[in-house]
Amino acid sequence: MVAVPTQEGSTAVHKTASDAYYLLNDICLLTEGSQPQVLGNARLTPEFGLELLESLIVVHIDAIAKHSEYVHIIRARLMSFIVRTLSEKANYNVTVRAFRLLRLLIQKLLPTMIAEIAMATSLVNHLLDPTSSVTWKRVLCLELWRDIHDDPTLIRSLYTQFDLVKENKNLVGDHLAILVRLAAENPTLIGLGQRSSGFETHQDFPAEQIAMEAGGLSGTINLPTEETSLNKPGISTNWSSVRTSCIDQVDKLEPPILPATYLYSLVLTCINRFSDGLAKFLLPFTVQSDEKPRRKPKSSAKHHNQEAPRTDRHEELTKEPAMAQSTNASIPSERRMPVNPLRLKDHEKFDQIRMSALIIEHCWPALLATSSTFLNASLDSDYYHALIRSVQRFTQVAGVLDLGTPRDAFLTTLAKHAVPSAPIVPARTPVLGSFTNQQTDDFPNGDESKQGDRRESQSHFSMDMSPRNLLCLRALLNLGTALGPVLHHSWAIIFQCLHQVDVALMAASQRPLTQASVSRTDENETSEIDDLKAERSAVEIAVSRLFESTSSLPNEAFTHALKCLRSLVYSVSGLPMDHTPNQKLSDQRKSNPAVPRPRHNRLASVSSVRVSEASTSEESIVILERTAQVAQCNIARFCKSPSTESGWTILSQLLIDHSCSSAIGADVRIGAARDLEGLISRITSFVARDVSRNDTIMQCLEALSSAVTFMWESEGNKGGLSCSLEVHSIALESLLSILERCGDTLQSNWDLVFSIIDSVFKPTDPSATEGKPRLFEVGASASRSPKLARSAFSTSQLICSDFLASLPDRCFLMLLDTLHCFCSQTEDFNTSLTSVALFRNVSDHLQRDDEPQSRPLLDEDVMRCTTDRELVDLGSAQADDISTSVLWMYLILHLARLSLNNRVEVRNSALHTLFGIFDTCGDRLDAEAWATCFRLVFSQLLSAMVTTKVNSLEDSDFRSWDDTAVILVRSISNTFNLSLGTLQGHRALTVVWDQLLAQFALLLKRNSMALGRAIFSSLTDNLVEIERLSCTRSISLDATWSLWLDSIPTSDAPQKNVDNNDTLLAYVQYVRQLHSMLPSGFRTDQAAALMVKLKLCIIESAAVVYGSDVDEMSPVQKVVLETLALVPLSAEEVLTQLVETVSSLASLAYRTDENNAQKGKTYVALSKAAMGSLDSLAKQPSVRAHTSTAHLLALMIQELEVPVRLKYKRQPGGKGVPTWKKATSTLLSILDVDLWGECTGSGKDKQSIWEAIVSISDSIMAADTDSCESPSAISADEAFDMESFSRLQDVIVPSLGSPSIPDRIRRRYVESLFEHSLIHEPHPDDLARPEQELLDGLRSQHVGRVQELPPKRRSKMAYMLVDQLFNLAAVHDGSVQRVRLAQIAAPYLILRVGLVLKAYICDQPLRGLMPQPLSQKREMHHVLQKLTDLDSEPKAIPETSGVQSEYKKHLFLLFGLVTKAMKAARRDEEMRTALTAVLDAMGTDFGF
């Protein structure tokens, strides 16, 4: 055993060990240049000695470490030489070997040589000062530290042994502080500026490859791009690195030529490896034990040894957050909180963990300062990516250790460098990661110039937002993804940075070209744009992953993030946020009106993008879109957690405030509303048809209700009315989507639904209690806009079609009130009409829902109501347990109210719906229920309709109201028939019938034709049904008659020529049906009134439209005649009035003025029919039994004479027999009746008969042929008149000669014969003047006429009348009647013959040799022949002295004229012969 010296003294070793000891000692001595102790005169160069020592230590490090004697030699000899070599100006080859040995000793023998290593490392740190050593030595120092940083355990050991010991120097801390000074010592050389910049390349390289680490440092950049170096300041792998490190170049005698920036690249490498070492050690401890970390795939990229980031499996922190689908039905599992390694106190490596935390806490300022310097330097892509990874890892380590100050400092640094510092002008463009699908071409339909402008704008995008800005942003976002559960308030840094980048991108897309950008080559510009696009794509992915990762955050962590986001949103928009989430903005301002509106303040540590005030809206839109993205990723959270824990309250209030406040721009408000709508849509899709999630749906409904309520309550909202309407519309769309997805699962939230729907209407009574029925208190509702009304109505339609079964009973009142509002609003006509139809759906549901079906629809409580007000009070009293009866009656009264709407289509539709409901459910109403309906509904409607004309000042078109009244009357009548089977035998029938009659009587006073027709036709149908069911005794027939008697349909319409035929027809049909129900027919007073009304119906009836009453009677005329046949003939006064009425109708066609004729009312067919009725009536036994038959006959004859007299003057026309012929035939038929012997009456009445007969005779004989429209018919008419006259003569002659008949009547008859027997017009002087005797005119003297006189067109009738004159003057049976007739006829006969003779006497001489006109010649021959043959009545011609002839006295009176005619006929042999025959007859009678 040999004793050798040690640090503590000496120790005994074996011989061989002592040899090794002395050999090692001699090598050290030889290396120092000293004499060896055992090797004699051996010599070694320092270079060889150092290399030999390095080899020995590397090979035998374990043995050396175990033997203190060896360590003593190294401490005493070798470390002293190394320190001396480093401190002196040694050669490069010696110095580099000394550094290599020092590195080896630090790595292997640190615990055994604390003091020596402290001295050496302190010297190394000192040598890094630029004034202390040359560059290559400084490089060796940094390469030494670089290698030390490769071993995180070594760093911890150094920190433990030196920095934590007060007596020792802070080696690690001093080293990092020196790095800060190194980084900033030459700003120009590293290209320090406002922000980091890259280097342009002259070769084409692939675009930068971007990969996210799958492990603990989520999103680290792994694959740097390679760039070509240029001779310019900055750090690049092309000129800032060497192929072999200086510390490894032991074969060189002189230091190598190093790049000027190589030193700074080593600084970057040191901080990179320092951060990497911390992360490798600490991050694995954050993973909970039951999770298996995933190994990051190896990268294929190769890097230089100084800069290449190295990773291993310990870099992984936790599983990647679940990718939450916003609309996915699956609920993502909650992400576990990362374990804080400092809480693992029982872990075996806890001391090292604590030491690492101390290193971070003490060294982060230096690391931050160094990183910040290089973040603004000119670095190539590899170095910049490595630097960002370093910052990212250090931040993540600080985050998991819950070291807030360093974490926030590094987050702020990344955020600062993620935002461009240049001023920008905001413009509207898509933001990063927007969920809205954007088209790749912003001008899909634009021209090429616009698209070119867009490309040009994009080409200079990088001037504002560089790829490195986006790289920093991506690192920041990845940190947010990894540290989300522990970020707390630091979320604000991430969100604000992301927002400012969004604004920068939004502005840069439309920035004008700058001079710098123009000078760039197209190739370089394109390369940078490609890099920017690639980096932007990666950022978008990172944004998406960040937001999606929030779905796996615990509720508390997510709430922290949401609060930070909320603060940013309010800051950007300028709205105050010092109120609770559930407090309305209006309430907050009222409670504290002095609260100023906050300005848009950004974090001071983040570089601000200066924007103008006009950009506030654009920024607000951007940040709201981000908020919506976060919300969409957390749909499952909102659905499964309470609103106060999930953050829903915060989020919904934020969106409500920004959608409803009038203090912000319209675009922002609409965007917030859209975001809220989209969020609610996704939530409802998630919980659709899940009854257990009803509370979630209620949260959505409460949000919508608060939004629409708050919006219209906000002050100053008038300025943004159009925007408010749009926001309101979006809320309604959201409500519709909720019902479409979850309507069948709603339970107690329907009151919210209806409050949202009702919000589209302007409030009419602010003091009304919420939920109180609003039946007749609800007037015409005014919607805020037609668009809102249509949108809300779509929801109401959906409820009525699909979800009535889900409605609680109390909500039906709300539904009915809502439908009423839609019906009564005036902005959208179609909505009003469709709303009316929805009442039918509700009614059908109520009937189906009412069990059992056999139970009466109305209960006793409803039937006890006497007014609609009582019904409303009853419904309010029943509250939640409201009965179906009340609901159904409430619905009916709503429809009744709508039936009085000012719009005709709405009220008519309401009426159809109302009575359609009664048709459906009538079988479920008993008698009392029907009576209740008539009392509360029908009677009220009729009463309102009566007063409408007076009170409805808004609607001047009363005809539309009449149309509605018609529908109402017909519907009530049909409903009455429907209920009649139930009311049969019940006392309610009488009451109901009287109510109807009373209301109908009032309606008739509207003087509407259509309404009158509806009333009488409806009542007629009712009477038919009453008669069929034998219910006649249950109604008052007198009241029924009084209704008819007290009214006749007339019109107050502006146009008087309305078609009232249908109305009058219904009026007459009504009384005909009533007659069939009267036990003994019409009474005398009723019959008298009946005939007056019936005649008035004919007079008032209008002309038939598209027809004529010439050939066929109008329906009114026909039914009136038929009804007149129902008049009883037993009473003489009734019979007399009947004859008068029918007779007047017979002549009505000729008593009508021309105006009526022009309107188409001729009464021709009626007159003909009335004539037939008169003929039949004259043959009735009651006429014979009348006390004054003569009066009846006189009435008939007088009226029938009118058509005959006016045969050609008034020609009504028509087919068939002319009216005057019909009248003539009727007269002759009546006169043929054997009434003369039984004719009763006074003498005056009888004279009236003869006067009428004489008038008829005159009318038959007369004819104004010049007025005849058809000359060809004159001959046939003449023959008819001749036949009629002949028949008349057979009737009246010789009765006309009765002494009871005054002579004036007979004289009038003979005068007519004389007047109409004249064939040629006599000379005026030949007729007697009024003061002369009848025959005095024959004695006059005048000049004859030579012109030919035309004969009368009816010459045959004239000859017949001449013959009748001769017949009347001829001798017959000598009866008194004959004698009286002959006495009257004889003078007129003498005058008639005298006129012929005198005309011949005066005219013939003037003709000369011209013959007498044929017609005159024929007339004269006929007269002379009849004169010759006549045997006149002896008593007819007065006695003349000297004349003893009995039957030829008339010839004596004409003798003078005959003799004169003989003289005039001296050349007319034929006439002389005829005249001679007259003289011969005279002579024979006189006895010659």
Side-chain angles (χ1 to χ4, degrees):
M1 302 291 290
V2 179
V4 295
T6 63
Q7 184 71 20
E8 292 79 12
S10 63
T11 183
V13 296
H14 293 286
K15 178 62 177 175
T16 55
S18 66
D19 293 341
Y21 170 82
Y22 288 111
L23 177 62
L24 178 62
N25 186 55
D26 284 350
I27 294 174
C28 291
L29 290 173
L30 291 173
T31 303
E32 293 176 357
S34 302
Q35 290 296 324
Q37 295 179 357
V38 296
L39 293 180
N41 295 323
R43 292 288 184 266
L44 290 176
T45 64
E47 295 86 349
F48 182 77
L50 291 174
E51 288 186 10
L52 181 60
L53 287 172
E54 181 181 3
S55 300
L56 289 173
I57 294 173
V58 170
V59 174
H60 302 287
I61 185 61
D62 294 336
I64 293 174
K66 292 178 181 180
H67 297 275
S68 59
E69 63 275 17
Y70 300 146
V71 174
H72 173 68
I73 294 175
I74 295 174
R75 179 188 298 115
R77 297 293 184 185
L78 184 58
M79 284 300 297
S80 299
F81 177 76
I82 292 175
V83 170
R84 187 170 57 255
T85 301
L86 295 180
S87 60
E88 297 175 353
K89 296 182 179 179
N91 295 330
Y92 168 78
N93 55 353
V94 175
T95 304
V96 70
R97 288 168 175 80
F99 272 102
R100 289 175 61 85
L101 267 174
L102 178 60
R103 178 183 65 181
L104 180 61
L105 294 176
I106 294 174
Q107 292 174 345
K108 303 299 182 180
L109 299 175
L110 174 63
T112 60
M113 296 185 296
I114 299 298
E116 291 76 9
I117 291 178
M119 181 184 299
T121 53
S122 297
L123 179 59
V124 170
N125 287 339
H126 174 72
L127 292 175
L128 287 174
D129 190 280
T131 61
S132 301
S133 63
V134 295
T135 301
W136 60 266
K137 187 175 290 188
R138 297 174 68 193
V139 168
L140 289 174
C141 293
L142 283 179
E143 288 181 345
L144 172 65
W145 273 109
R146 178 198 63 189
D147 295 338
I148 292 174
H149 283 302
D150 278 341
D151 188 356
T153 304
L154 181 59
I155 290 292
R156 291 193 298 273
S157 297
L158 289 173
Y159 187 82
T160 303
Q161 296 294 335
F162 301 105
D163 292 68
L164 289 183
V165 179
K166 294 183 179 180
E167 295 78 7
N168 295 334
K169 292 186 177 182
N170 298 330
L171 293 182
V172 176
D174 291 347
H175 163 67
L176 293 176
I178 292 173
L179 293 183
V180 175
R181 294 193 296 271
L182 278 175
E185 70 179 12
N186 195 343
T188 304
L189 187 59
I190 65 174
L192 191 65
Q194 292 293 326
R195 62 179 180 179
S196 178
S197 59
F199 304 100
E200 299 176 1
T201 61
H202 298 279
Q203 300 177 7
D204 294 333
F205 290 94
E208 179 181 352
Q209 302 178 12
I210 302 172
M212 304 296 113
E213 288 191 2
L217 190 54
S218 212
T220 54
I221 297 87
N222 196 36
L223 298 177
T225 60
E226 296 184 0
E227 296 180 355
T228 303
S229 65
L230 294 177
N231 188 16
K232 60 177 294 185
I235 304 173
S236 171
T237 56
N238 294 321
W239 67 79
S240 300
S241 62
V242 294
R243 187 176 300 274
T244 304
S245 301
C246 288
I247 201 170
D248 293 328
Q249 295 185 31
V250 296
D251 56 340
K252 293 183 180 295
L253 297 177
E254 297 295 333
I257 299 175
L258 299 174
T261 55
Y262 177 59
L263 179 69
Y264 305 102
S265 69
L266 290 175
V267 175
L268 283 173
T269 303
C270 287
I271 63 175
N272 290 342
R273 295 187 179 181
F274 176 76
S275 300
D276 189 42
L278 289 174
K280 287 179 180 179
F281 174 71
L282 289 175
L283 292 183
F285 295 107
T286 63
V287 181
Q288 298 192 17
S289 60
D290 57 345
E291 293 186 358
K292 296 181 180 179
R294 296 175 297 177
R295 182 184 300 274
K296 179 180 177 181
K298 294 183 178 180
S299 172
S300 61
K302 295 181 179 179
H303 309 280
H304 295 287
N305 59 342
Q306 293 90 346
E307 294 79 20
R310 292 175 292 179
T311 61
D312 56 26
R313 60 188 181 91
H314 297 292
E315 289 186 65
E316 300 188 15
L317 171 64
T318 182
K319 273 190 173 182
E320 197 64 26
M323 302 293 287
Q325 298 287 339
S326 61
T327 58
N328 198 339
S330 63
I331 300 177
S333 60
E334 186 176 284
R335 183 177 174 185
R336 294 188 178 184
M337 294 286 290
V339 177
N340 187 344
L342 292 176
R343 297 179 181 178
L344 302 177
K345 296 182 180 181
D346 297 333
H347 199 280
E348 58 182 3
K349 294 184 178 182
F350 177 72
D351 292 337
Q352 298 186 42
I353 294 173
R354 184 173 60 84
M355 199 60 57
S356 298
L358 291 175
I359 293 174
I360 295 172
E361 190 171 2
H362 294 162
C363 299
W364 72 264
L367 187 63
L368 175 64
T370 306
S371 301
S372 299
T373 300
F374 283 109
L375 284 174
N376 291 324
S378 295
L379 306 179
D380 69 354
S381 178
D382 291 340
Y383 279 110
Y384 196 82
H385 279 68
L387 177 62
I388 295 300
R389 279 196 302 273
S390 174
V391 175
Q392 187 177 11
R393 288 170 178 170
F394 190 87
T395 306
Q396 186 169 4
V397 170
V400 296
L401 292 175
D402 201 17
L403 301 177
T405 302
R407 176 197 64 199
D408 292 349
F410 279 87
L411 287 176
T412 303
T413 299
L414 286 175
K416 178 180 180 180
H417 290 85
V419 180
S421 58
I424 59 174
V425 179
R428 188 181 299 274
T429 58
V431 298
L432 288 174
S434 175
F435 279 17
T436 305
N437 293 329
Q438 300 291 340
Q439 295 186 10
T440 57
D441 188 359
D442 288 349
F443 301 90
N445 298 321
D447 54 30
E448 290 298 326
S449 63
K450 292 183 178 179
Q451 298 182 23
D453 293 341
R454 177 64 175 172
R455 289 191 295 268
E456 183 181 37
S457 175
Q458 291 179 347
S459 68
H460 300 94
F461 186 95
S462 60
M463 294 304 298
D464 296 319
M465 179 62 72
S466 68
R468 298 196 171 182
N469 292 131
L470 296 179
L471 182 65
C472 292
L473 176 62
R474 179 153 60 100
L476 184 67
L477 296 174
N478 290 333
L479 284 171
T481 302
L483 298 177
V486 295
L487 278 179
H488 304 295
H489 65 274
S490 300
W491 277 104
I493 301 173
I494 298 175
F495 287 139
Q496 183 166 328
C497 177
L498 177 60
H499 170 65
Q500 294 189 19
V501 171
D502 284 338
V503 175
L505 291 177
M506 179 178 64
S509 64
Q510 294 185 4
R511 277 199 72 179
L513 294 174
T514 62
Q515 187 65 30
S517 64
V518 173
S519 63
R520 298 164 67 103
T521 63
D522 293 340
E523 180 181 358
N524 294 334
E525 184 179 6
T526 303
S527 176
E528 183 172 351
I529 292 175
D530 292 340
D531 292 344
L532 181 63
K533 289 182 178 179
E535 191 61 49
R536 177 170 178 172
S537 176
V539 169
E540 289 176 349
I541 296 174
V543 171
S544 178
R545 291 178 58 198
L546 173 65
F547 291 161
E548 290 166 353
S549 69
T550 60
S551 63
S552 60
L553 294 177
N555 284 339
E556 183 180 1
F558 176 73
T559 302
H560 282 299
L562 201 57
K563 288 181 179 178
C564 294
L565 184 59
R566 178 187 64 178
S567 299
L568 178 60
V569 173
Y570 280 98
S571 175
V572 171
S573 64
L575 291 181
M577 198 187 64
D578 53 346
H579 61 287
T580 61
N582 291 326
Q583 183 182 6
K584 295 181 180 179
L585 180 60
S586 58
D587 298 337
Q588 186 270 336
R589 287 179 179 172
K590 292 177 182 178
S591 62
N592 189 9
V595 174
R597 185 179 299 276
R599 301 184 62 184
H600 185 176
N601 297 323
R602 294 173 172 84
L603 294 177
S605 57
V606 179
S607 63
S608 299
V609 178
R610 293 187 295 274
V611 296
S612 63
E613 291 296 332
S615 67
T616 302
S617 294
E618 286 78 2
E619 291 190 46
S620 298
I621 292 173
V622 171
I623 191 60
L624 284 174
E625 288 180 0
R626 291 302 189 194
T627 305
Q629 294 173 32
V630 173
Q632 291 164 5
C633 293
N634 288 271
I635 297 300
R637 180 191 311 276
F638 299 140
C639 296
K640 71 176 183 178
S641 302
S643 60
T644 54
E645 298 178 7
S646 66
W648 168 257
T649 303
I650 298 173
L651 181 63
S652 61
Q653 189 62 41
L654 181 151
L655 294 176
I656 290 172
D657 287 348
H658 285 79
S659 63
C660 300
S661 176
S662 59
I664 57 180
D667 292 344
V668 179
R669 295 181 59 188
I670 294 174
R674 288 292 181 191
D675 292 339
L676 181 61
E677 185 270 338
L679 180 59
I680 291 176
S681 176
R682 287 171 171 80
I683 291 176
T684 52
S685 297
F686 192 96
V687 301
R689 306 193 180 281
D690 188 350
V691 180
S692 63
R693 302 288 176 84
N694 196 60
D695 291 342
T696 303
I697 301 175
M698 183 176 68
Q699 295 172 11
C700 298
L701 292 175
E702 288 175 345
L704 292 178
S705 179
S706 299
V708 297
T709 303
F710 174 32
M711 177 173 55
W712 295 111
E713 290 179 356
S714 298
E715 298 178 0
N717 201 26
K718 294 183 179 180
L721 179 60
S722 60
C723 177
S724 297
L725 294 176
E726 180 64 23
V727 171
H728 202 155
S729 177
I730 294 172
L732 293 174
E733 293 174 4
S734 181
L735 175 63
L736 180 61
S737 67
I738 291 176
L739 292 182
E740 288 175 342
R741 296 183 178 93
C742 311
D744 52 352
T745 61
L746 286 181
Q747 296 174 353
S748 59
N749 304 322
W750 286 102
D751 52 343
L752 292 173
V753 173
F754 288 113
S755 68
I756 297 171
I757 295 175
D758 290 343
S759 64
V760 303
F761 301 104
K762 296 179 181 178
T764 55
D765 186 8
S767 62
T769 303
E770 184 178 0
K772 182 178 180 180
R774 304 172 296 166
L775 186 58
F776 283 106
E777 285 78 0
V778 179
S781 302
S783 64
R784 301 186 189 276
S785 79
K787 180 181 178 181
L788 288 183
R790 286 190 294 269
S791 181
F793 179 66
S794 299
T795 305
S796 299
Q797 279 185 299
L798 181 63
I799 294 174
C800 292
S801 61
D802 295 348
F803 302 123
L804 290 179
S806 302
L807 281 182
D809 289 343
R810 63 181 177 83
C811 292
F812 276 95
L813 295 179
M814 304 178 189
L815 174 61
L816 294 175
D817 289 341
T818 300
L819 291 180
H820 185 105
C821 291
F822 280 115
C823 293
S824 58
Q825 58 83 30
T826 58
E827 288 78 8
D828 193 311
F829 177 71
N830 291 332
T831 296
S832 297
L833 289 182
T834 312
S835 300
V836 174
L838 295 181
F839 278 97
R840 182 64 178 268
N841 294 8
V842 179
S843 175
D844 294 342
H845 170 77
L846 291 176
Q847 295 174 54
R848 290 192 302 268
D849 194 50
D850 188 26
E851 297 293 345
Q853 293 293 329
S854 58
R855 185 177 65 186
L857 193 56
L858 296 183
D859 54 26
E860 294 181 358
D861 292 337
V862 175
M863 290 187 288
R864 280 195 296 267
C865 297
T866 58
T867 62
D868 55 352
R869 183 71 262 174
E870 294 181 6
L871 179 67
V872 174
D873 295 339
L874 177 61
S876 301
Q878 293 181 353
D880 293 341
D881 192 21
I882 191 169
S883 65
T884 302
S885 298
V886 173
L887 292 176
W888 186 81
M889 198 63 189
Y890 194 72
L891 179 147
I892 294 300
L893 290 178
H894 264 303
L895 284 174
R897 174 67 174 170
L898 291 173
S899 301
L900 302 177
N901 193 276
N902 286 332
R903 291 168 295 173
V904 58
E905 296 84 359
V906 174
R907 58 176 180 262
N908 291 350
S909 178
L911 284 175
H912 288 304
T913 303
L914 173 64
F915 288 99
I917 292 174
F918 278 103
D919 290 342
T920 303
C921 63
D923 55 343
R924 297 188 59 193
L925 297 175
D926 55 16
E928 290 295 339
W930 276 115
T932 301
C933 293
F934 275 98
R935 180 180 68 255
L936 293 181
V937 183
F938 304 151
S939 181
Q940 295 294 329
L941 278 176
L942 290 173
S943 178
M945 199 62 66
V946 169
T947 59
T948 298
K949 183 174 182 180
V950 178
N951 297 331
S952 179
L953 300 178
E954 297 180 0
D955 190 359
S956 59
D957 188 8
F958 296 143
R959 182 177 299 176
S960 64
W961 281 102
D962 290 341
D963 294 340
T964 302
V966 168
I967 297 175
L968 175 62
V969 168
R970 294 191 183 279
S971 300
I972 290 178
S973 174
N974 295 335
T975 305
F976 177 81
N977 287 343
L978 177 66
S979 66
L980 198 56
T982 305
L983 293 172
Q984 183 180 7
H986 197 277
R987 57 183 177 82
L989 176 58
T990 303
V991 177
V992 170
W993 181 254
D994 290 342
Q995 289 177 352
L996 288 182
L997 291 181
Q999 296 295 341
F1000 285 166
L1002 294 176
L1003 280 178
L1004 287 172
K1005 293 181 180 180
R1006 291 177 64 92
N1007 295 332
S1008 166
M1009 289 293 104
L1011 184 56
R1013 176 175 67 252
I1015 290 175
F1016 286 111
S1017 62
S1018 299
L1019 287 176
T1020 302
D1021 295 340
N1022 296 147
L1023 291 175
V1024 171
E1025 187 68 14
I1026 290 173
E1027 184 179 21
R1028 186 183 69 83
L1029 297 178
S1030 302
C1031 298
T1032 305
R1033 294 185 178 182
S1034 299
I1035 65 173
S1036 174
L1037 295 179
D1038 289 339
T1040 307
W1041 163 260
S1042 297
L1043 175 67
W1044 186 87
L1045 182 63
D1046 294 340
S1047 58
I1048 185 171
T1050 58
S1051 176
D1052 281 348
Q1055 297 178 352
K1056 296 296 183 180
N1057 56 341
V1058 295
D1059 185 8
N1060 59 357
N1061 286 281
D1062 293 339
T1063 304
L1064 295 174
L1065 183 62
Y1067 180 71
V1068 178
Q1069 292 289 4
Y1070 172 83
V1071 78
R1072 287 174 62 84
Q1073 176 60 33
L1074 180 60
H1075 173 267
S1076 66
M1077 300 173 67
L1078 295 173
S1080 57
F1082 294 119
R1083 300 190 304 270
T1084 301
D1085 59 330
Q1086 292 176 337
L1090 175 69
M1091 287 182 282
V1092 174
K1093 293 286 186 178
L1094 291 178
K1095 184 177 180 180
L1096 186 59
C1097 287
I1098 291 179
I1099 300 301
E1100 293 293 335
S1101 65
V1104 179
V1105 180
Y1106 304 113
S1108 173
D1109 61 348
V1110 175
D1111 299 319
E1112 185 177 354
M1113 289 185 293
S1114 68
V1116 175
Q1117 296 168 357
K1118 184 176 181 180
V1119 74
V1120 165
L1121 282 183
E1122 293 174 354
T1123 306
L1124 287 175
L1126 301 177
V1127 175
L1129 304 179
S1130 57
E1132 290 189 354
E1133 59 271 22
V1134 174
L1135 179 59
T1136 302
Q1137 186 177 356
L1138 178 61
V1139 171
E1140 290 177 353
T1141 302
V1142 177
S1143 299
S1144 64
L1145 296 179
S1147 61
L1148 189 59
Y1150 292 87
R1151 297 184 182 276
T1152 305
D1153 57 18
E1154 295 182 359
N1155 291 332
N1156 285 332
Q1158 292 176 358
K1159 296 177 182 179
K1161 296 167 59 176
T1162 64
Y1163 304 111
V1164 174
L1166 173 64
S1167 295
K1168 292 179 181 181
M1171 293 172 188
S1173 299
L1174 278 180
D1175 191 11
S1176 300
L1177 187 59
K1179 297 178 175 61
Q1180 294 293 327
S1182 56
V1183 175
R1184 295 176 181 271
H1186 199 277
T1187 56
S1188 181
T1189 306
H1191 178 65
L1192 298 180
L1193 292 175
L1195 291 175
M1196 296 179 188
I1197 296 172
Q1198 287 172 1
E1199 294 298 330
L1200 290 174
E1201 182 269 340
V1202 175
V1204 179
R1205 174 164 41 85
L1206 299 176
K1207 64 180 72 174
Y1208 288 153
K1209 293 181 180 180
R1210 294 285 299 274
Q1211 304 179 50
K1215 300 177 182 179
V1217 180
T1219 308
W1220 63 270
K1221 287 185 178 182
K1222 177 67 175 177
T1224 303
S1225 301
T1226 303
L1227 281 169
L1228 295 176
S1229 177
I1230 292 174
L1231 293 176
D1232 283 342
V1233 178
D1234 187 15
L1235 295 176
W1236 307 109
E1238 303 176 4
C1239 186
T1240 57
S1242 63
K1244 185 177 180 180
D1245 292 335
K1246 294 180 179 180
Q1247 290 182 14
S1248 298
I1249 293 175
W1250 285 109
E1251 288 177 352
I1253 291 175
V1254 170
S1255 296
I1256 289 174
S1257 176
D1258 178 74
S1259 299
I1260 293 174
M1261 292 182 282
D1264 185 5
T1265 56
D1266 294 336
S1267 302
C1268 182
E1269 295 178 355
S1270 178
S1272 60
I1274 293 177
S1275 177
D1277 294 343
E1278 182 182 22
F1280 176 80
D1281 282 342
M1282 291 173 63
E1283 180 183 358
S1284 300
F1285 181 77
S1286 176
R1287 291 178 57 190
L1288 181 61
Q1289 298 310 305
D1290 294 342
V1291 175
I1292 66 175
V1293 178
S1295 300
L1296 186 58
S1298 173
S1300 60
I1301 300 174
D1303 288 342
R1304 59 179 178 81
I1305 295 176
R1306 286 186 285 271
R1307 183 174 293 106
R1308 181 182 172 191
Y1309 170 69
V1310 174
E1311 286 177 353
S1312 297
L1313 289 176
F1314 168 77
E1315 180 181 354
H1316 298 299
S1317 66
L1318 295 174
I1319 300 174
H1320 299 87
E1321 182 180 0
H1323 195 283
D1325 293 342
D1326 293 340
L1327 298 176
R1329 295 183 176 87
E1331 68 276 6
Q1332 294 178 337
E1333 294 294 335
L1334 182 63
L1335 300 177
D1336 287 348
L1338 296 177
R1339 301 185 182 93
S1340 64
Q1341 299 292 327
H1342 59 81
V1343 179
R1345 296 172 294 184
V1346 296
Q1347 69 271 21
E1348 183 177 355
L1349 298 177
K1352 184 182 292 186
R1353 298 184 70 174
R1354 287 168 53 102
S1355 58
K1356 292 181 180 179
M1357 172 61 78
Y1359 282 111
M1360 183 177 181
L1361 298 180
V1362 171
D1363 293 344
Q1364 181 63 14
L1365 280 175
F1366 280 101
N1367 183 46
L1368 290 177
V1371 62
H1372 290 283
D1373 57 2
S1375 62
V1376 176
Q1377 292 89 341
R1378 285 291 181 178
V1379 171
R1380 288 182 177 275
L1381 288 173
Q1383 290 174 346
I1384 297 298
Y1388 287 95
L1389 177 62
I1390 299 301
L1391 178 59
R1392 178 67 180 87
V1393 175
L1395 289 175
V1396 174
L1397 293 174
K1398 189 174 182 181
Y1400 186 79
I1401 293 169
C1402 294
D1403 298 342
Q1404 189 61 26
L1406 298 178
R1407 294 188 180 101
L1409 297 178
M1410 292 180 60
Q1412 182 183 12
L1414 184 59
S1415 60
Q1416 292 180 348
K1417 182 177 181 179
R1418 178 186 174 190
E1419 178 187 13
M1420 189 168 181
H1421 278 288
H1422 182 78
V1423 170
L1424 292 177
Q1425 182 64 42
K1426 297 294 290 185
L1427 185 63
T1428 302
D1429 296 339
L1430 175 62
D1431 289 335
S1432 61
E1433 173 62 42
K1435 297 179 181 180
I1437 299 175
E1439 296 290 341
T1440 304
S1441 60
V1443 179
Q1444 299 180 356
S1445 175
E1446 183 175 6
Y1447 300 108
K1448 300 294 184 180
K1449 292 180 181 180
H1450 58 285
L1451 295 177
F1452 178 75
L1453 296 176
L1454 294 170
F1455 179 74
L1457 293 175
V1458 173
T1459 57
K1460 290 181 180 180
M1462 286 290 292
K1463 293 179 180 179
R1466 63 180 181 271
R1467 296 180 181 177
D1468 187 352
E1469 189 63 30
E1470 185 178 358
M1471 189 59 66
R1472 285 178 61 85
T1473 302
L1475 291 171
T1476 302
V1478 173
L1479 294 176
D1480 289 344
M1482 183 187 300
T1484 303
D1485 187 67
F1486 289 165
F1488 294 105

